[in-house]
Amino acid sequence: MKREIFRVRSYRDGAITAVDALSGRSFARHAHDEFGIGLVTDGAQRSWSGRGPVEAVRGNLMTVNPAELHDGTPIGPARAWSMLYFSQHLVSGAIHDLEEGRRALRELHAPVVDSPHLARLFMTTRQAVMNTEQDDAFEEGLLSLFGCLLDVRTKSVAATSTRLAQVRARIDDQPGANHALTDLAAMAGLSRYQTLRAFTRLTGFTPHAYVMQRRLDSARRLIRDGTTLAEAAAGAGFADQSHMHRVFVARHGFTPGVYAEAHRRRGAISFKSVPACLR
């Protein structure tokens, strides 16, 4: 048998199982008691499911419903994939919000989805699942992922623009505070998913991303004022200095240390570095 790799981990108090695998194995028909969403990261696979025979290639998402029979055979020597299995309880809470309380269970209809946007959204959600510092990002990712897969359309929320502005102001006033999506939704008078979509349309950021941006703004001001990196991280509301470091690099490409050094050395610019037209 060709080389196989299976990495299985549990997150969120057992509500999510993550499986990363490389295998040339053909799997017999079986079922899971969870919702499964995964990305083919290499190769291709042919499978039968209750929704018909399908093929998935690199970059495609695969989905499976609880109790749905399916199998899997590689097209070629092997294929690799990354799966997230979500408990029915976790998903029912998300669907209840997406459906605004009308129902708490729906089936995923497409066994294979070819969408670069959804593939990126899956990977973002997967990263948030594995990072305990990103509870808000995970909640947003879960709602967005299932909202897109279930093609949930939100109603117009133009009449609530004043409340959304108040949500934005609340974050602006206290970027270091905890801003759970549930609390922001209550303030806006909307569901979590409506708040997520409407806030993103208003600001270009999801609520979690907006909080991170405002915390970065605070951290940069503190660093420019000569505060140590550890103190800047704490003062801006990050979990710790390493959390600030990761967010800083992800958005700016350089570290907080480089930023701090640049401001410690301000005024000490070499004359040769100044453009000739400004000399």
Side-chain angles (χ1 to χ4, degrees):
M1 180 178 291
K2 293 181 173 60
R3 177 169 169 260
E4 284 192 315
I5 299 174
F6 282 90
R7 188 179 182 192
V8 184
R9 291 151 294 174
S10 176
Y11 297 95
R12 309 283 165 175
D13 296 324
I16 301 174
T17 303
V19 179
D20 296 297
L22 166 65
S23 176
R25 185 190 300 262
S26 292
F27 297 97
R29 289 187 182 180
H30 62 284
H32 304 269
D33 59 357
E34 306 139 311
F35 286 89
I37 303 175
L39 179 68
V40 180
T41 55
D42 199 16
Q45 171 173 286
R46 181 181 295 111
S47 59
W48 175 92
S49 77
R51 294 168 288 174
V54 294
E55 292 184 358
V57 300
R58 181 178 180 179
N60 287 171
L61 283 185
M62 306 179 293
T63 73
V64 62
N65 292 298
E68 179 183 355
L69 287 176
H70 61 285
D71 59 18
T73 301
I75 301 175
R79 77 290 202 199
W81 66 95
S82 178
M83 292 287 301
L84 292 175
Y85 294 97
F86 302 91
S87 74
Q88 293 186 55
H89 177 72
L90 182 65
V91 174
S92 68
I95 292 176
H96 183 272
D97 187 275
L98 293 167
E99 293 286 347
E100 298 176 41
R102 290 187 296 270
R103 51 182 167 174
L105 280 178
R106 283 183 61 182
E107 286 193 343
L108 301 171
H109 296 296
V112 174
V113 180
D114 182 13
S115 167
H117 168 70
L118 273 174
R120 290 192 297 270
L121 181 55
F122 169 80
M123 293 304 294
T124 299
T125 304
R126 177 179 176 274
Q127 182 182 31
V129 164
M130 298 177 178
N131 192 334
T132 58
E133 297 168 350
Q134 297 189 23
D135 286 342
D136 292 339
F138 162 67
E139 188 175 21
E140 291 179 357
L142 181 70
L143 289 169
S144 296
L145 189 59
F146 277 90
C148 288
L149 286 171
L150 295 171
D151 195 26
V152 174
R153 308 295 176 89
T154 57
K155 299 176 183 177
S156 173
V157 294
T160 65
S161 58
T162 299
R163 288 190 178 184
L164 287 170
Q166 291 172 348
V167 168
R168 180 177 186 171
R170 172 179 171 175
I171 296 172
D172 288 340
D173 291 342
Q174 295 182 302
N178 178 37
H179 297 288
L181 184 58
T182 299
D183 296 337
L184 299 180
M187 186 176 184
L190 302 169
S191 71
R192 291 178 299 163
Y193 189 57
Q194 285 178 320
T195 302
L196 171 60
R197 296 292 299 273
F199 191 89
T200 303
R201 285 194 292 268
L202 175 68
T203 67
F205 291 99
T206 68
H208 173 74
Y210 189 79
V211 170
M212 291 299 104
Q213 181 60 51
R214 287 294 170 255
R215 288 180 182 175
L216 276 180
D217 293 342
S218 296
R220 286 198 304 268
R221 285 195 296 270
L222 290 167
I223 291 170
R224 289 196 299 268
D225 290 341
T227 305
T228 67
L229 297 184
E231 291 171 338
F238 289 102
D240 52 33
Q241 186 177 332
S242 63
H243 183 203
M244 180 182 72
H245 180 101
R246 290 192 296 274
V247 174
F248 208 104
V249 172
R251 284 160 176 75
H252 299 311
F254 52 86
T255 69
V258 169
Y259 187 74
E261 181 62 22
H263 284 277
R264 278 195 296 270
R265 299 176 61 182
R266 58 190 171 199
I269 302 175
S270 168
F271 183 79
K272 292 182 180 179
S273 68
V274 179
C277 62
L278 298 178
R279 293 177 187 170

